[in-house]
Amino acid sequence: MVKGTKKKSTIKFVIDCTQPVDDKVLDVASFEKYLHDRIKIDGKTGALASNSVVITRDRTKLTVASPSELAFSKRQLKYLSKRYLKKQQLRDYLRVVAASKNSYELRYFSISSGADEEAEE
């Protein structure tokens, strides 16, 4: 009897930073390092490699891939993203929005409605 090899499935979470990076407001490399240093697994930071969690970076996107049996939290990524924005003093201008089931997007607050009301008066 030959046992079938089980394929380990991974869950990928994407943080899309396209708008702030194009405007040169956000540095993706420092954001990646921040996440790498602060992501907790089983209550411990710095345990990414031992649990085979991988953070990869494109020009404007960060991808966090973790094994599905680890039950990595998407909510933790949002929390850390908001903390990073606060640390960089960008929290007043940017917000973290869920773009899909497994991705977040950094968007600017839309404040155009206030300017339209003033123009009408």
Side-chain angles (χ1 to χ4, degrees):
M1 292 184 135
V2 178
K3 292 184 178 180
T5 58
K6 289 188 176 180
K7 182 183 173 191
K8 291 188 176 182
S9 60
T10 60
I11 300 174
K12 290 186 179 182
F13 298 108
V14 178
I15 301 175
D16 185 6
C17 311
T18 304
Q19 291 178 348
V21 170
D22 288 345
D23 295 341
K24 295 184 173 82
V25 175
L26 186 78
D27 181 26
V28 180
S30 67
F31 187 26
E32 179 190 21
K33 181 170 179 0
Y34 183 86
L35 288 177
H36 191 279
D37 294 342
R38 303 249 183 350
I39 287 179
K40 286 187 176 183
I41 297 171
D42 294 331
K44 297 177 184 174
T45 58
L48 293 181
S50 61
N51 289 303
S52 65
V53 175
V54 180
I55 301 175
T56 55
R57 171 179 88 221
D58 295 337
R59 194 178 76 80
T60 61
K61 292 183 180 180
L62 286 174
T63 305
V64 180
S66 73
S68 59
E69 62 270 5
L70 195 59
F72 187 77
S73 171
K74 178 183 169 190
R75 181 78 188 141
Q76 184 183 13
L77 285 179
K78 183 172 186 177
Y79 171 75
L80 289 173
S81 300
K82 288 164 84 170
R83 278 194 50 194
Y84 177 77
L85 292 175
K86 185 70 173 175
K87 182 182 171 194
Q88 299 295 322
Q89 297 173 346
L90 296 172
R91 185 78 178 93
D92 295 335
Y93 311 106
L94 293 170
R95 62 187 185 142
V96 184
V97 180
S100 71
K101 183 177 179 246
N102 58 355
S103 69
Y104 282 117
E105 184 178 351
L106 297 182
R107 291 186 185 166
Y108 288 106
F109 282 112
S110 59
I111 53 173
S112 61
S113 62
D116 293 340
E117 292 172 9
E118 291 174 9
E120 292 175 2
E121 292 177 7

